[in-house]
């Protein structure tokens, strides 16, 4: 097995835990959203955060896409998984990102192969962006809630914050979920993945 040595870069500090206040704000924004959408990238794989990603997706019952570098972060057989997004993705994935009101970006770079023309990418969405590299936050799309930290650790804290605030939010906003994923279906994958948003299939016989 290849061993990696520790490298010390003077002046460079890695923030791994995420800002607690920003994580609470993100939880509030997610519960207030009508059409939350999860956009997961290679950071999920690098941080070994597949389990935490699945827990988040199931808790908020949101549709999710994984970039090329993030494929496998959420199993392709998972009911909330749509496909890859962008120029190599499906119609369903791209329309879901176009119509979402809160985009939860996890370990992604907002690559131009995903965003296409930036002005038209997720035009209605508020963005929550989690990444361990602060240089990636706001480089392409300025998020409403930036969170610098290890995505695995941040997702654990975000799920805990969502559980803590779920009851209050559900009481005020009946379109949101209760703990355990018991969501009233008006704002989740049942809306974004309607028949008009499913991937286009060839009509040719096989």
């Amino acid at each position: 097995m290849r061993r990696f040595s520790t490298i010390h870069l003077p002046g460079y500090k890695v923030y791994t835990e995420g800002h607690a206040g920003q994580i609470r704000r993100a939880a509030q924004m997610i519960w207030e959203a009508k059409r939350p959408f999860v956009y997961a990238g290679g950071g999920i794989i690098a941080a070994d955060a597949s389990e935490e990603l699945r827990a988040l997706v199931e808790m908020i019952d949101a549709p999710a896409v994984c970039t090329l570098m993030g494929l496998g972060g959420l199993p392709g057989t998972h009911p909330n998984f749509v496909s890859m997004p962008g120029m190599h993705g499906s119609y369903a994935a791209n329309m879901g990102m176009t119509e979402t009101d809160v985009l939860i970006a996890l370990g992604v770079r907002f690559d131009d192969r995903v965003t296409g023309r930036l002005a038209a990418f997720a035009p209605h969405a508020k963005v929550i962006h989690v990444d361990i590299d602060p240089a990636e936050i706001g480089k392409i799309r300025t998020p409403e809630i930036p969170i610098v930290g290890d995505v695995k650790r941040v997702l654990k804290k975000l799920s805990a914050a969502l559980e803590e605030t779920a009851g209050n939010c559900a009481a005020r906003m009946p379109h949101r979920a209760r703990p355990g994923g018991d969501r009233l279906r008006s704002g989740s994958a049942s809306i974004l993945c309607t028949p008009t948003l499913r991937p286009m299939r060839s009509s040719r016989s096989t």
Side-chain angles (χ1 to χ4, degrees), residues 37-109:
F37 198 92
V38 176
Y39 165 34
I44 294 293
I45 304 300
D48 191 25
S50 296
E51 183 177 339
E52 289 76 15
L53 174 62
R54 180 184 54 78
L56 172 72
V57 167
E58 292 177 356
M59 179 180 295
I60 65 175
D61 195 17
V65 296
C66 293
T67 66
L68 178 63
M69 298 299 290
L71 285 176
L74 189 68
T77 55
H78 193 283
N80 288 54
F81 179 74
V82 183
S83 73
M84 284 176 57
M87 66 185 297
H88 301 299
S90 68
Y91 178 76
N94 292 322
M95 286 303 296
M97 297 179 88
T98 298
E99 296 299 327
T100 182
D101 59 345
V102 170
L103 184 65
I104 307 164
L106 305 170
V108 296
R109 298 178 299 159

Side-chain angles (χ1 to χ4, degrees), residues 126-141:
K126 296 178 180 178
V127 175
I128 299 165
H129 190 183
V130 180
D131 203 286
I132 197 167
D133 185 357
E136 293 294 339
I137 304 250
K139 184 173 73 174
I140 305 297
R141 172 75 177 256

Side-chain angles (χ1 to χ4, degrees), residues 2-205:
R2 185 179 179 184
R3 295 183 179 276
F4 295 89
S5 59
T6 300
I7 299 175
H8 175 64
L9 297 176
Y12 184 78
K13 181 175 177 60
V14 178
Y15 297 92
T16 60
E17 299 301 323
H19 188 280
Q22 292 291 79
I23 292 171
R24 287 193 296 270
R25 287 183 59 211
Q28 182 74 18
M29 180 179 287
I30 290 169
W31 283 139
E32 291 176 352
K34 293 183 178 180
R35 296 180 301 277
F37 198 92
V38 176
Y39 165 34
I44 294 293
I45 304 300
D48 191 25
S50 296
E51 183 177 339
E52 289 76 15
L53 174 62
R54 180 184 54 78
L56 172 72
V57 167
E58 292 177 356
M59 179 180 295
I60 65 175
D61 195 17
V65 296
C66 293
T67 66
L68 178 63
M69 298 299 290
L71 285 176
L74 189 68
T77 55
H78 193 283
N80 288 54
F81 179 74
V82 183
S83 73
M84 284 176 57
M87 66 185 297
H88 301 299
S90 68
Y91 178 76
N94 292 322
M95 286 303 296
M97 297 179 88
T98 298
E99 296 299 327
T100 182
D101 59 345
V102 170
L103 184 65
I104 307 164
L106 305 170
V108 296
R109 298 178 299 159
F110 288 88
D111 189 274
D112 58 4
R113 285 165 291 182
V114 172
T115 65
R117 187 165 61 90
L118 193 59
F121 175 74
H124 313 295
K126 296 178 180 178
V127 175
I128 299 165
H129 190 183
V130 180
D131 203 286
I132 197 167
D133 185 357
E136 293 294 339
I137 304 250
K139 184 173 73 174
I140 305 297
R141 172 75 177 256
T142 302
E144 277 68 26
I145 301 181
I147 302 175
V148 177
D150 178 84
V151 70
K152 184 181 184 76
R153 300 186 187 190
V154 171
L155 282 178
K156 287 180 178 179
K157 293 181 179 181
L158 179 58
S159 292
L162 286 164
E163 287 184 355
E164 291 172 3
T165 58
N168 291 337
C169 290
R172 297 197 310 271
M173 295 162 286
H175 65 279
R176 302 314 294 158
R178 292 180 289 274
D182 181 16
R183 173 193 290 277
L184 300 176
R185 303 292 295 180
S186 63
S188 65
S190 61
I191 292 295
L192 287 174
C193 295
T194 56
T196 59
L197 298 182
R198 288 175 183 160
M200 299 176 68
R201 299 181 182 273
S202 172
S203 61
R204 293 179 296 177
S205 58

